[in-house]
Each structure stands twice: as C-alpha cells, then as structure tokens.
Amino acid sequence: MYPPSRKDFISLTLSDSHNNTYNNGKHRRQSCWRKWKQLSRLQRSLVLFLLALLLIFGLLSYPSITEQWRGGSDREDWLELNDRDVKDLPPGVKSILDQAEGKALPPVAEPHVLPAVDPDAVAGAVVEPRGPNVPILPKPPIKNKNFPNKRGPPSLHKDGNISDTVGGDKEVQEVVREEEGEEEDKEQKIVSWRGAMIEADQATEPPPSANEREAAAPPAPADPADTVPSEVPTVAVDRLQAVCDAFRHAWKGYKDYAWGHDELKPISRSFGEWFGLGLTLIDSLDTMWILGLKEEFAEARDWVEKELSFDKNVDVNLFETTIRVLGGLLSTYHLTGDQLFLDKAKDIGSRLMPAFKTPSKIPFSDVNIGKGTAHPPRWTSDSTLAEVTSIQLEFRELSRLTQDPQYQEVVNEVMKLVHKLPGKHDGLVPMFINTNSGQFTHKGVFTLGARADSYYEYLLKQWIQGGKTEDDLLEDYLQAVEGVKKHLVRQTGPSKLTFVGELSHSRFNPKMDHLVCFLPGTLALGAHNGLPGDHMDLAVQLMETCHQMYRQMETGLSPEIVHFNMQASDGQDVVVKPADRHNLLRPETVESLFYMYRFTKDPKYRDWGWEILHSFNNYTKVPGGGYTSINNVRDPVNPGPRDKMESFFLGETLKYLYLLFSDDAELLSLDKYVFNTEAHVLPIWPSPPK
Ligand code: DMJ
C-alpha cells in the first residue's frame, strides 16, 4: 500500500481556497460599484467632499508625525547640550563634537556615532542608549566616612610592598578587527578576538600619596639616582598633575553616565555592558590609589562593597575577567591591605574555575559565573593561545594568598602542556590551541600581536614573579626572543626603523599591531633581570619605532595596525591602511616608555609620553567627561569619535603615564613587583614557588 498522495491533497486544497478568494473579491468589487451607482448626485458629492477633506488633513499632519517617529526632539536636546560645551575648545576636540553632530562628516567615509547606533547592541550586549541628562543609576555616595583612611602608594607604607598576602591577575581586551581581505592574509581569515580590552589598611596614620607628596613641594626623590638633572622639578609635577587631571576627567564621565557599568560611551553619554561587572570601576581602583585620588577611590570601594556581585547568570571571558577583575582586585588588595578586595578576588577566582574542566585541561574561553558552566566560543572548540597562557600570574598569586593550591595547579598545567607541545617555530607559538586535543591549531601563522602577545610577556613575568627559579619558563622565553629576532625582526627601507612583522606560512608580512609595542618594555625588563644585553638593544630600537608610529600620524596618535615599507626608497616608513586607522586609547607604547625610562633614565622617553598625553587630550577628550576611541588618526579635523572609553585607558594608559612622570623609583619598584598585562601590580614572591 502506498500512503495517500500528499501532492493531490495539497493541490486540491490550494486550488479551492484560491478560487474562493478570487471570486469573493470580484463579487465585492462588483457590489461596491453597484451601490455607488445607486447613490443620488448629492450623496456622491458629499462622499467625495469628505474624502478630499481627509486627504488635506493627512497631508498637513504628515511632517509632525514623521518627526515623532524619528525621535527628533531628543536629538535636538542633545545637540543643544553639546553646543553649550563647544565654545573655546581646541580644534581636535571641537571636531569630535562636530562629528557627533554630523556637521563635518565626509559624505560616506566614517560613520559618526550616535546613541542609537551601538555596535555593542549589535553584538548582543545590554545597552541602554539614553538622553544626556537621564541618570541611569543612583550616583555614588559622596564619601564613605567609615572607610579606613590609610591611603597612598604602597612604597610610602612601611613594609607595604611585600606583604604576606598579595594578589595578581591579568586581563585582555577584545578587539574585533576587520580582516584585511588581502591575498597575503587569506590564510588567517579569522575575526580577531583579543580578550582585551584593568586597595586600605586599618592601622597607621595615613602617609601622603605620591601625588600629594610631589605636588606639595619640589620633589626630593628618595633615590638620587632617579633625579634627572636636565628636568626642572616643576615640570615633573606639572606632568603628574596633568595625568591626574586626565584621570579625573575620564572618571567624571564614567561617574556621571556609566557608574557601575562596564564602559563609558562618552559621546552619547551612556554606557556599554560587556560582562556587567563594572569593568571600568574595577580596572581603575589601583590607579586611583596610586594617583592619590582618595575621594574617588572611597566611592569606588563603596560600590565594590555594596553593589558588586558575581552571583549572576552571565557568560564572561576567562582571560578578560582574570586580567581585569581578578587582577584589579588582587592588586588593590595588595596596595591597600583591605580584606574586602581579597574576598571579592576569591569569589571571582573560584567562579572561573569551571573553565578548566576540559578533556585537555586547556581552558575554555567562556564561563558562566552564575551557573558554573563553561564552553568554547560558538564557532570553534579552540581557545586563543595568549588567553590561556596569560592568566597565570593572577591564579598563582591567588593560591599563594589563600593557601589553596587549586588555582595555581590548573594554570601551571597549561604552561607545562604548552612547554612540551610540538608545533612551535624556534620558540614562536601558533595563535590557537584546541580544548579537546590540547594541540596547536591554525599552525603556520606567527605574530607578537593579537592572540599571541601576552604569552611571551607572561613567560618572563612568571619567571620573575617566582623569584627566577622556574627554568622551563626562562628557557621558553629565551628561545622565543631568538625566534623573534630570527624570523620577525626587520628594518624599513627609508629610515632603517626596526620593527616586528608576522610570519604567515613562511611568508613575511611587514605588519605590526600596536599591541606589539608591549615588547620593548618586556625586553627591557628581561635585560634588567640579567638576560642578554642585546635584548635591551632591541628594546631601544623598537621603542623608537613605536614612538614613530605616533609621531608620524597627523593626530600624534598611533593607529591600531601599521605596515612598514621595506623598499629602499625615500618614501614613508609607515603605511596605514584605511581599515587600521583607529586608536582605542591603548597603553602598550606608554607602558614600554615607563619601563625604558625606569631602566635608562633617558628623559626623551618622558617627553615622548608627554606628547602622547597631549594628543589624547587634543583628539580624544570629550567635553563634559570621558575620552573616546577614534576612527582616524590621520585626520585631525575629523578624527571620528567611536563613542567608547575602554576600561584599560584608566587601568593602564593613565597609570603608566603617571609612573613614567614620577621621580619616585620606589613607587612600585620593578624589583618588587610585576605588572600583569592589564597593569595591575603583583608582588614578586619572597620565596620560590613549591
Ligand atoms: C589590555 O586589555 C591588555 O593590555 C591586554 O594584554 C592587551 N589588550 C589591552 C590593551 O590594549
């Protein structure tokens, strides 16, 4: 027996209903016409008159209806508000406002950012664009009177630097980079996901903070070797003050429009949410402490105590949460001795642990901190290499503080696996590793930029953290630096600038991410710790190149990615492709300037940092509060505000600038601390790891 034919059944039904519909319509049209004919002439005129009246009314009310649909009145308020602020602004800042208003935009080129157009929302994040004057959350309390008043940089605390209990962590920032679509990059068609994108004591009298001390009187550096004769003391004070002013301005925007949320959107005066953990606030805690911003710190501490909860059903990125949140809390705990921060650090640390429950012990990228479940990204079972190898400083420190070995065990296991893994190229590692097999994937592409960068940084820093006793880490680091020199370091044709390119299936690509500018600082730190002198030579050369990546741009700010010209010619050394012209307020260059100044005392590094701070102020500072990422570092008239202040601007960029300008070499001495990759400070252990 065959089943009844579905085809016959369907065709019968469709044909029937179709016919009915058609006939009904025809019938209706015929009967309407008959009725119209039956009306008297007067009745017909009356109907026509009414119809005409309706039409006229409709036409008159059209503009106001459509205006309401477009939400025009909100936008007018917003523009009026910006107009009030725009007077007397430097050209770069004014151009940011002009673009936000849509005044000076090129016809198609860079889209200006308005509150309603929100890339975070597209990515599924919770975002609430709103008018400028609508508060989102209650403002933070003015001051917590009960807050213990011992504040200031740890170097000013007696025995403050090496406490028995300390914390650490690392963070990453996620950057979605458009792939270049060029032949040479075809093998690596991957959307880059850098989990980028950042402390009180009960006992003694509050010592002055570094900021207070240096601002109050001409500084008398504790260590005469730290004095720079060519620099008048007031210059240093002014520079420190300028960093504090920048921080306060950034913080004002965050406090007014994004308090308790992950990131400020300074143009639309709203906020963006990534994990919903108050990322900017946590990333900023230790910076405020170091800068001596007591009131701001107290308000933030109050929020951590009363509002911060990790008991929420949210997926977070393991790496980003480790470097920014765990690292920020551990660092603040260490600087302040305030138990609150250690308790919070333990809470988030333990909630991240499910990420390590994988067949290979290579952690998943994402964890739900409320449910205790973990998973890889939707499109792959790979994890990013930098992400799984740049969480070690923080987890190891958490174990030391809590005397609970589970944290360091899971991250040490990752390092052991990677140490033994085949597929490296003279110490250089591929960008991905599989959570099932524990093997490298996407082999053949080697970079010091996105997805691999902090692997190299953490090899050295773990070795330093552990008292320079873990030989495997040192071996991997030394081998990697040799691999970098052999395969990735080249010079430009015109000015012989030294740079670090990428290797893609044996083909050299003269492309360098701004992220790679962490390398001069790391190389210098290694040399300071007894590693070969030529590491320092390379650091000096690369530092010059990173400086040129800023200096050669019309805004004085580096683009996200540059290409170098290797032809022997008189042309440009640095080439920037249209898709790479943005600047996200990243820290890597000022981070390296800080290390280079600490180790060489050459004032040019301070001057370079000072120029960068000026450029941030000229082109990214938003009136009313906050700094914004920009679209185009080559266009000082229309830099194209992106309406986003990354948390690492406060956690890293401004912190490193402050430390660069400070004459106090004991302020977070590099012989006592390592900085995690989000600039949070962790102590070098007094005794080697067990
Ligand atoms: C930060 O989150 C960290 O420095 C990370 O290692 C790299 N990216 C950002 C800053 O650019």
Side-chain angles (χ1 to χ4, degrees):
M1 276 261 305
Y2 293 98
S5 158
R6 277 186 67 185
K7 194 177 162 202
D8 290 349
F9 171 76
I10 289 170
S11 87
L12 182 68
T13 310
L14 284 178
S15 134
D16 187 39
S17 92
H18 208 217
N19 288 340
N20 283 343
T21 309
Y22 177 74
N23 287 340
N24 281 346
K26 190 176 175 191
H27 177 75
R28 266 202 303 273
R29 278 200 297 276
Q30 281 170 352
S31 96
C32 279
W33 180 243
R34 243 199 318 274
K35 279 191 181 130
W36 175 253
K37 287 290 219 181
Q38 284 163 5
L39 293 178
S40 71
R41 181 167 296 183
L42 180 68
Q43 283 171 321
R44 279 192 227 157
S45 311
L46 207 61
V47 171
L48 286 174
F49 174 73
L50 282 172
L51 282 175
L53 216 60
L54 272 175
L55 186 69
I56 290 166
F57 178 75
L59 283 175
L60 287 176
S61 46
Y62 176 75
S64 69
I65 291 172
T66 50
E67 183 61 18
Q68 277 176 21
W69 286 343
R70 289 201 309 256
S73 52
D74 277 0
R75 178 156 165 71
E76 264 166 37
D77 291 346
W78 184 67
L79 293 180
E80 268 172 27
L81 193 121
N82 279 343
D83 278 345
R84 280 199 296 276
D85 292 342
V86 83
K87 293 178 202 102
D88 305 327
L89 297 173
V93 175
K94 188 167 182 324
S95 70
I96 285 178
L97 277 184
D98 287 347
Q99 292 193 48
E101 296 177 13
K103 278 183 195 164
L105 288 174
V108 194
E110 302 297 335
H112 64 282
V113 186
L114 290 174
V117 183
D118 180 10
D120 288 347
V122 175
V126 182
V127 177
E128 296 180 22
R130 17 175 226 109
N133 296 321
V134 187
I136 307 164
L137 288 177
K139 289 276 173 59
I142 300 300
K143 198 164 182 182
N144 176 3
K145 294 218 170 69
N146 299 324
F147 181 67
N149 63 359
K150 179 182 169 191
R151 299 195 193 95
S155 66
L156 303 177
H157 296 182
K158 205 163 184 297
D159 300 321
N161 288 355
I162 307 288
S163 73
D164 293 335
T165 55
V166 187
D169 137 21
K170 140 153 183 111
E171 167 242 345
V172 181
Q173 150 171 356
E174 170 177 357
V175 175
V176 177
R177 268 183 10 203
E178 284 180 23
E179 289 301 311
E180 294 176 2
E182 293 186 345
E183 289 238 339
E184 65 209 24
D185 290 331
K186 272 190 182 146
E187 308 90 328
Q188 30 175 337
K189 281 271 174 204
I190 303 148
V191 177
S192 182
W193 205 108
R194 278 295 275 108
M197 301 175 353
I198 332 193
E199 314 154 33
D201 189 5
Q202 291 84 347
T204 55
E205 192 60 17
S209 73
N211 184 34
E212 286 171 323
R213 211 174 58 155
E214 295 191 59
D223 175 6
D226 193 40
T227 313
V228 182
S230 64
E231 210 165 26
V232 189
T234 53
V235 172
V237 172
D238 287 349
R239 289 179 175 187
L240 290 172
Q241 191 53 50
V243 180
C244 290
D245 291 347
F247 187 95
R248 281 206 178 92
H249 184 82
W251 190 249
K252 179 184 183 321
Y254 178 72
K255 186 172 158 183
D256 287 352
Y257 306 113
W259 183 253
H261 297 284
D262 283 345
E263 284 150 350
L264 168 68
K265 294 160 77 74
I267 303 289
S268 54
R269 297 183 171 179
S270 61
F271 58 86
E273 218 65 295
W274 190 2
F275 309 136
L277 298 178
L279 283 185
T280 296
L281 190 147
I282 299 179
D283 239 355
S284 303
L285 286 167
D286 56 3
T287 306
M288 291 187 279
W289 183 267
I290 292 160
L291 269 56
L293 303 175
K294 298 177 184 180
E295 278 190 17
E296 291 84 350
F297 180 85
E299 288 168 353
R301 187 216 179 263
D302 202 47
W303 183 88
V304 171
E305 184 180 27
K306 299 191 177 125
E307 308 287 337
L308 178 62
S309 167
F310 298 126
D311 189 13
K312 43 166 73 172
N313 178 7
V314 60
D315 276 359
V316 304
N317 175 273
L318 169 68
F319 167 70
E320 295 295 348
T321 308
T322 300
I323 66 169
R324 297 184 202 217
V325 181
L326 179 56
L329 292 168
L330 288 173
S331 171
T332 309
Y333 168 68
H334 177 64
L335 294 176
T336 63
D338 185 339
Q339 184 68 24
L340 167 70
F341 298 108
L342 181 57
D343 291 344
K344 292 286 181 189
K346 274 192 266 186
D347 189 10
I348 189 64
S350 61
R351 288 171 188 274
L352 294 174
M353 289 297 278
F356 297 88
K357 288 190 185 130
T358 67
S360 65
K361 302 193 179 155
I362 298 295
F364 288 132
S365 58
D366 298 289
V367 194
N368 187 305
I369 52 175
K371 290 187 187 160
T373 54
H375 58 87
R378 263 185 222 109
W379 59 91
T380 176
S381 56
D382 290 349
S383 286
T384 294
L385 195 92
E387 293 194 4
V388 302
T389 55
S390 314
I391 49 180
Q392 279 66 16
L393 290 176
E394 299 82 358
F395 275 81
R396 282 156 51 112
E397 181 59 17
L398 186 58
S399 271
R400 197 176 75 91
L401 288 174
T402 59
Q403 293 294 298
D404 179 350
Q406 62 164 327
Y407 307 108
Q408 85 177 30
E409 278 167 10
V410 289
V411 294
N412 283 348
E413 188 63 29
V414 176
M415 294 314 294
K416 267 192 233 156
L417 288 169
V418 173
H419 174 69
K420 287 185 296 199
L421 213 53
K424 290 185 204 138
H425 188 46
D426 289 328
L428 303 177
V429 288
M431 296 150 78
F432 295 95
I433 187 162
N434 190 272
T435 51
N436 293 320
S437 66
Q439 300 295 313
F440 291 130
T441 64
H442 300 78
K443 293 183 197 164
V445 180
F446 300 99
T447 174
L448 264 276
R451 293 184 175 277
D453 49 359
S454 43
Y455 160 74
Y456 303 100
E457 176 189 351
Y458 268 36
L459 286 176
L460 178 73
K461 288 183 176 176
Q462 285 177 83
W463 178 69
I464 293 172
Q465 178 191 42
K468 306 190 216 174
T469 55
E470 295 153 287
D471 295 342
D472 286 355
L473 294 166
L474 177 62
E475 188 188 310
D476 287 350
Y477 178 75
L478 289 173
Q479 220 191 348
V481 175
E482 290 313 303
V484 170
K485 287 196 285 188
K486 182 168 166 193
H487 300 290
L488 304 183
V489 171
R490 297 287 182 276
Q491 287 198 326
T492 60
S495 311
K496 306 286 173 234
L497 288 180
T498 302
F499 67 93
V500 179
E502 298 184 352
L503 204 60
S504 183
H505 303 283
S506 305
R507 267 187 55 192
F508 182 77
N509 184 0
K511 160 180 177 275
M512 181 165 144
D513 294 352
H514 180 271
L515 288 168
V516 181
C517 289
F518 82 92
L519 189 59
T522 297
L523 288 169
L525 180 64
H528 176 73
N529 279 281
L531 303 189
D534 68 341
H535 289 201
M536 190 63 186
D537 300 340
L538 182 56
V540 170
Q541 292 166 23
L542 291 173
M543 193 73 259
E544 171 68 36
T545 304
C546 291
H547 165 57
Q548 291 300 331
M549 285 163 61
Y550 283 73
R551 194 161 208 175
Q552 296 191 14
M553 297 303 118
E554 288 76 354
T555 55
L557 292 172
S558 168
E560 178 73 358
I561 300 169
V562 297
H563 286 74
F564 290 100
N565 174 12
M566 295 174 70
Q567 305 301 318
S569 69
D570 294 336
Q572 299 272 309
D573 287 289
V574 183
V575 178
V576 188
K577 301 194 174 180
D580 305 333
R581 294 175 305 189
H582 48 292
N583 178 293
L584 305 182
L585 313 171
R586 285 196 189 278
E588 289 76 16
T589 295
V590 294
E591 169 185 353
S592 283
L593 288 171
F594 156 66
Y595 284 103
M596 296 302 288
Y597 180 76
R598 278 270 170 115
F599 298 137
T600 66
K601 300 290 186 289
D602 186 335
K604 79 178 177 196
Y605 296 124
R606 282 183 159 179
D607 294 341
W608 295 353
W610 184 233
E611 285 166 17
I612 292 172
L613 180 59
H614 269 289
S615 297
F616 279 133
N617 278 330
N618 282 339
Y619 297 104
T620 71
K621 187 173 180 180
V622 179
Y627 287 74
T628 179
S629 307
I630 56 172
N631 278 324
N632 191 355
V633 297
R634 308 229 65 162
D635 190 344
V637 179
N638 296 315
R642 288 193 151 196
D643 197 15
K644 183 163 173 172
M645 183 174 77
E646 303 278 354
S647 74
F648 51 68
F649 183 63
L650 290 83
E652 296 194 71
T653 310
L654 294 178
K655 185 189 288 157
Y656 281 129
L657 280 166
Y658 186 88
L659 294 173
L660 169 67
F661 300 142
S662 170
D663 283 329
D664 185 356
E666 281 305 303
L667 175 58
L668 304 176
S669 158
L670 291 168
D671 295 320
K672 295 175 182 161
Y673 294 94
V674 281
F675 287 75
N676 87 338
T677 196
E678 190 74 8
H680 296 306
V681 286
L682 305 172
I684 294 170
W685 295 342
S687 55
K690 292 170 194 137

